[in-house]
Amino acid sequence: MSDIERTLSIIKPDAVERNLVTEIKEIFKNKGFLIIKEKKIQIEKSEAEKFYAIHEAKPFYNDLCAYLSSGPIVVMVLEKENAVLGNRELMGATNPKDAEEGTIRKKYGISIDKNSVHGSDSVENAQIEIAFFFKD
Ligand code: CMP
């Protein structure tokens, strides 16, 4: 038996800039994800630092936060059975070079930084990340 889950998805600046939002949303919808909430925003670097606090000790942390706040992003709450894992499979490997055919990052990702989408990595983090962007 599977659980209906919610996960946070971000369409990152590289994909928004290339007008890929509608196309990427269609991919989610075609795979059975419901887009429960959605907004297009641009965040401050300080907010990106809070969002990615889990990566604070990583050498790429500063560039990652600068990048996420560099342009508009689309944040969405996706719902489906096993949404967290399903979204991660649909996104593909973090580095587009390693991503499998048919995944979003394989199709649209430019580099490990400009990898077009973010998705929560666990049910617990999904709840934290959803609350971060959608306060209600
Ligand atoms: P994301 O799923 O948004 O989570 C953290 C991000 O850090 C990741 O996607 C990548 O875009 C970025 N990143 C940059 N360098 C690395 C790295 N060496 N390993 C993992 N993630 C990295």
Side-chain angles (χ1 to χ4, degrees):
M1 212 179 70
S2 310
D3 287 334
I4 296 286
E5 291 173 356
R6 289 185 177 186
T7 191
L8 185 88
S9 170
I10 303 178
I11 303 181
K12 295 189 181 184
D14 66 274
V16 175
E17 192 176 75
R18 287 178 288 151
N19 287 318
L20 296 171
V21 172
T22 308
E23 240 173 280
I24 291 174
K25 281 169 59 184
E26 281 306 307
I27 294 174
F28 287 127
K29 287 191 251 180
N30 289 339
K31 288 285 178 184
F33 288 92
L34 298 178
I35 301 172
I36 300 289
K37 294 179 186 177
E38 173 189 352
K39 61 183 177 184
K40 186 178 181 182
I41 52 173
Q42 181 160 359
I43 60 172
E44 298 291 333
K45 188 173 180 223
S46 58
E47 293 175 277
E49 285 166 354
K50 279 184 215 147
F51 178 74
Y52 276 131
I54 199 165
H55 295 301
E56 203 166 12
K58 308 269 176 59
F60 56 83
Y61 178 63
N62 186 57
D63 286 349
L64 172 62
C65 298
Y67 173 61
L68 194 72
S69 56
S70 68
I73 57 174
V74 173
V75 290
M76 298 176 289
V77 176
L78 304 180
E79 183 178 277
K80 191 189 170 183
E81 278 186 8
N82 297 321
V84 173
L85 184 60
N87 182 36
R88 291 186 71 75
E89 286 174 355
L90 186 54
M91 290 192 300
T94 306
N95 191 336
K97 279 196 289 188
D98 303 327
E100 285 182 30
E101 286 298 333
T103 63
I104 294 172
R105 284 166 170 165
K106 173 72 178 181
K107 196 165 182 196
Y108 302 115
I110 296 169
S111 64
I112 195 163
D113 301 299
K114 297 184 174 181
N115 61 358
S116 302
V117 283
H118 166 85
S120 312
D121 65 1
S122 66
V123 173
E124 294 72 28
N125 281 336
Q127 287 169 355
I128 294 167
E129 293 184 354
I130 290 168
F132 184 90
F133 282 112
F134 298 96
K135 308 283 180 218
D136 48 295

